[in-house]
Amino acid sequence: MSNNDDLAPRGPHASGDEEKATSTHRPSTEARDNATSHDTQFFGAGEYDQHLAHLAEKKEREMTFKDAVVGDFRLIMYSLGFSGTIIMEGYGLALLTYLFSVGPFNAKYGIYDTKTSKYELEYTWKAALPLLAQLGSILGVGLTAPVVNFIGYKRTVLLMLALCAAFAFVPFFAPNVYILSAGFLLQGIPWGVFQVVSPAYSSEVASLQMRPILTTWNNLCWIIGQLLASAVAFGFHKLGSAWAYRVPFGLNWAFIVFLFCAIAAAPESPYWYLKKHRVAEARLAAKKLVRKGSEERTEEKLALMQHAICHEMKHVVDNQTRWQKISAMFRGVDRRRTEIACATWIIQALCGSSLIGWAPKLFESAGMERSKALGMNIALPCAGIVGTVASWWLMQKMGRRQIFFWGLISMAVVLTGCGLATLAVNSAAGFASGAVLVLYTAIYDLTIGPICYSIVAEIPSVRLRTQTISFARGLYLAANLFNLFLTPKMLGMDSESWRWGAKTGFLYAGCCGIGTLYTFIRIPETKDISVRGLSILFHEKVKARKFSAQKAAELEKLQGAAASKTSSSDNTVSVLDEVVEPKIASPARVASPKNNN
């Protein structure tokens, strides 16, 4: 079967005269919304049953959690495989800062401090090592969109896993801190790709009920990585040889083998195939995502994806240049979506979450012994796991916006308490700040940590999702440079550091206050709103405080009423109070061999 056959209409054909008329006259809104074989070819969507798409959307909205788990069990497993790559990133980045409290690591790469009578890694390298890993991640984030567009999500992740396996040799055998830094720079590149691909893939393949869980699962994977890193660092820190840090570095290969097998069995995102005008392959991918043997569910899912794409592409010019496609997220309606995604991730970076990764040093600076600090540190990811799992239930009750808002307020209060804990004396201050930081971690991973992934994955449009998430994550990493430079300076114990200790909480409490104000004004609610519903709300410039599934349904009815008043011979399409030129791909363009590759 040829690629042109893949795009053959599955509904009633138009006659030859009708085809000619379609190519010379722009159809009305009513004609465009009726899924005919020639006016739904946006972005390679092909023809689909519009009624089936509406039915699928309604069914997803009314589906119970149990029905969603049973019906989309395969989809869930595949999505978890992609999210598992975040465990590697969380493990690698957390391990690096935890090793700063491991004696053999400091003895190998640090210098002897006569004041403390201990080997200590210089402040310059404490800042430089995480910084280089972040710079590598920024490079990886920048590469993600073009690589994914060219070879897809699945092959991109498999390629990055292969690179991870090769780059892991560098820190494992690093003879000095310079080679060690080069290793983390190289490892940061695939880590950056994982940060974008995982939430994007989960958001695209997930049903409405499973979307918040599968996107926030990325945060849980990050915590699992931190937990493994803290447990491994604590378990091996008493070894008096290089194996105290080489074994933790070598465990990366175990992750890679498992994840490579899991992702190799997963299907590509059907959305990616639709963007490439490969409808038949999109159908096969959708079939692999749903319950085995469920042909009806396969067609519903595919029709829903096609309908979402067609709705977004109503106002997009057909023959855009490469630069126009790239810069689209900074124009019109998509500019607001990009702003929200970027701001949400920047808030997460500057809300004090960096203190979790530097917890052992914070505990030490507050007067706790090094061994006890590493042991206390294990409690933080445990609290994070409990918080993330609880957030799944909380999202069903409150939605994203409210959780994000109240989470920032709660964290500001707790961080202030962390700073006040320094008023205690000596070792008591260490345990007091540790207890407060455990509480902070639980609140963070109940609210900001997981909800951020959900918001950032849901807000962008389908056609710009990878680009928007890549850009937003890049800004997150850039904002995180603030933490990488200042956190070791604030928590350090050497003469070059500021020795703020737990008083650092005061600074981040102020950042949480600023984030709270932005959330109230700009971040909308996305709970129970479909991809198409979000597109309608953003297009009609609805205020963030008024976003809801009910509001989307009301606007859709208004659009339907406006469409019914539009003459079929009119050359413009009325979309509520706005008049736009309909950008409809011709049958010749879609069927051409160039667009089928």
Side-chain angles (χ1 to χ4, degrees):
M1 180 179 291
S2 68
N3 285 335
N4 289 346
D5 292 332
D6 292 346
L7 291 171
R10 293 183 288 111
H13 267 287
S15 66
D17 292 336
E18 288 171 333
E19 282 190 25
K20 185 176 180 180
T22 303
S23 63
T24 55
H25 299 286
R26 293 189 179 96
S28 67
T29 303
E30 182 177 11
R32 181 178 64 192
D33 286 343
N34 293 329
T36 63
S37 59
H38 299 304
D39 53 25
T40 59
Q41 301 287 5
F42 303 105
F43 228 155
E47 195 204 16
Y48 67 97
D49 187 337
Q50 189 183 47
H51 175 72
L52 183 64
H54 283 288
L55 181 65
E57 186 175 321
K58 181 181 179 182
K59 186 182 292 186
E60 283 198 359
R61 189 174 289 112
E62 297 174 351
M63 189 182 294
T64 64
F65 176 76
K66 181 179 179 180
D67 292 337
V69 172
V70 173
D72 292 335
F73 183 76
R74 298 169 76 186
L75 176 155
I76 295 169
M77 292 297 103
Y78 293 135
S79 179
L80 296 186
F82 275 84
S83 301
T85 57
I86 302 296
I87 297 178
M88 284 187 59
E89 183 203 1
Y91 175 83
L93 289 175
L95 180 66
L96 179 57
T97 54
Y98 296 162
L99 288 177
F100 294 160
S101 296
V102 173
F105 180 85
N106 286 308
K108 174 68 176 178
Y109 302 109
I111 59 174
Y112 188 76
D113 191 338
T114 55
K115 294 183 179 180
T116 61
S117 299
K118 296 179 181 178
Y119 281 97
E120 191 80 16
L121 191 66
E122 294 177 274
Y123 162 75
T124 303
W125 290 110
K126 284 180 182 177
L129 288 174
L131 173 63
L132 289 170
Q134 293 284 62
L135 290 176
S137 293
I138 292 174
L139 179 59
V141 165
L143 293 173
T144 303
V147 174
V148 168
N149 182 63
F150 185 63
I151 62 176
Y153 292 107
K154 176 179 175 178
R155 282 179 284 184
T156 297
V157 173
L158 292 177
L159 174 62
M160 291 301 119
L161 286 173
L163 291 177
C164 272
F167 295 154
F169 283 96
V170 181
F172 187 85
F173 291 108
N176 53 58
V177 71
Y178 300 101
I179 302 299
L180 183 68
S181 62
F184 278 97
L185 174 64
L186 293 173
Q187 285 187 310
I189 297 173
W191 290 349
V193 175
F194 297 152
Q195 293 171 23
V196 177
V197 170
S198 181
Y201 183 88
S202 298
S203 180
E204 288 192 1
V205 303
S207 60
L208 196 59
Q209 289 294 330
M210 297 307 302
R211 193 174 68 192
I213 295 178
L214 293 181
T215 51
T216 55
W217 174 261
N218 292 282
N219 185 72
L220 185 58
C221 288
W222 180 277
I223 299 168
I224 292 172
Q226 289 180 325
L227 176 60
L228 291 174
S230 61
V232 168
F234 179 73
F236 289 92
H237 83 283
K238 292 183 179 180
L239 295 179
S241 65
W243 295 109
Y245 55 88
R246 279 189 175 179
V247 171
F249 284 149
L251 288 177
N252 278 299
W253 289 308
F255 292 129
I256 293 169
V257 172
F258 175 78
L259 290 172
F260 196 94
C261 294
I263 294 172
E268 182 57 74
S269 169
Y271 273 117
W272 185 81
Y273 283 123
L274 291 176
K275 294 174 185 178
K276 298 293 181 180
H277 310 281
R278 293 152 64 173
V279 180
E281 289 167 280
R283 182 174 289 106
L284 291 175
K287 185 177 182 179
K288 197 172 182 180
L289 288 171
V290 302
R291 190 174 183 180
K292 190 174 183 179
S294 180
E295 295 292 339
E296 180 183 359
R297 177 66 176 147
T298 300
E299 294 302 320
E300 288 177 352
K301 195 167 191 67
L302 188 64
L304 189 57
M305 291 178 175
Q306 291 170 310
H307 194 43
I309 288 177
C310 288
H311 188 277
E312 286 189 5
M313 296 303 294
K314 285 179 180 179
H315 316 292
V316 177
V317 178
D318 259 358
N319 50 349
Q320 290 181 320
T321 64
R322 183 179 296 274
W323 170 246
Q324 286 175 327
K325 292 178 180 179
I326 295 173
S327 62
M329 59 182 175
F330 304 113
R331 300 195 306 268
V333 175
D334 289 299
R335 179 172 54 199
R336 181 185 175 191
R337 291 182 156 195
T338 302
E339 175 219 314
I340 294 170
C342 293
T344 302
W345 238 330
I346 290 174
I347 290 172
Q348 190 201 44
L350 301 180
C351 70
S353 57
S354 64
L355 295 178
I356 300 174
W358 286 87
K361 279 298 176 185
L362 186 146
F363 298 153
E364 283 187 60
S365 66
M368 191 180 293
E369 295 179 8
R370 176 171 290 181
S371 180
K372 291 180 179 179
L374 286 170
M376 184 75 173
N377 183 56
I378 298 177
L380 298 183
C382 291
I385 291 174
V386 173
T388 302
V389 173
S391 72
W392 298 342
W393 172 83
L394 194 62
M395 277 190 289
Q396 301 299 322
K397 302 296 181 181
M398 294 179 61
R400 288 39 147 191
R401 171 183 161 88
Q402 288 189 62
I403 298 174
F404 206 80
F405 177 79
W406 290 108
L408 285 168
I409 292 178
S410 302
M411 287 162 54
V413 173
V414 172
L415 286 168
T416 302
C418 184
L420 293 175
T422 56
L423 298 178
V425 293
N426 298 330
S427 61
F431 284 102
S433 61
V436 173
L437 193 58
V438 170
L439 176 61
Y440 167 85
T441 304
I443 295 174
Y444 170 80
D445 288 305
L446 176 67
T447 58
I448 307 304
I451 304 304
C452 178
Y453 280 96
S454 184
I455 293 174
V456 172
E458 292 173 341
I459 287 295
S461 60
V462 172
R463 73 184 191 282
L464 297 173
R465 178 168 283 132
T466 306
Q467 294 93 319
T468 303
I469 294 178
S470 295
F471 184 74
R473 190 65 183 183
L475 288 183
Y476 164 86
L477 294 172
N480 210 33
L481 297 180
F482 171 86
N483 298 322
L484 294 177
F485 278 116
L486 296 186
T487 303
K489 202 75 171 176
M490 292 184 286
L491 301 180
M493 306 274 298
D494 57 352
S495 57
E496 296 181 4
S497 300
W498 300 338
R499 300 186 182 185
W500 285 10
K503 293 179 183 177
T504 306
F506 292 131
L507 173 65
Y508 287 115
C511 294
C512 287
I514 297 173
T516 301
L517 180 62
Y518 178 87
T519 300
F520 180 76
I521 298 173
R522 298 293 290 172
I523 296 181
E525 180 57 70
T526 58
K527 180 179 181 290
D528 296 332
I529 305 178
S530 66
V531 174
R532 188 168 58 88
L534 285 172
S535 179
I536 293 172
L537 291 168
F538 276 111
H539 180 77
E540 298 306 324
K541 300 179 182 178
V542 177
K543 292 183 178 180
R545 298 188 296 275
K546 296 183 179 181
F547 265 56
S548 67
Q550 181 180 358
K551 184 67 175 179
E554 291 174 358
L555 289 173
E556 186 179 2
K557 289 180 181 179
L558 288 174
Q559 286 186 355
S564 64
K565 297 178 181 180
T566 305
S567 170
S568 60
S569 61
D570 196 353
N571 287 335
T572 60
V573 178
S574 174
V575 183
L576 294 184
D577 59 343
E578 184 178 1
V579 177
V580 297
E581 290 291 329
K583 308 300 181 182
I584 299 175
S586 67
R589 171 178 173 264
V590 175
S592 65
K594 179 180 179 181
N595 287 304
N596 289 321
N597 294 329

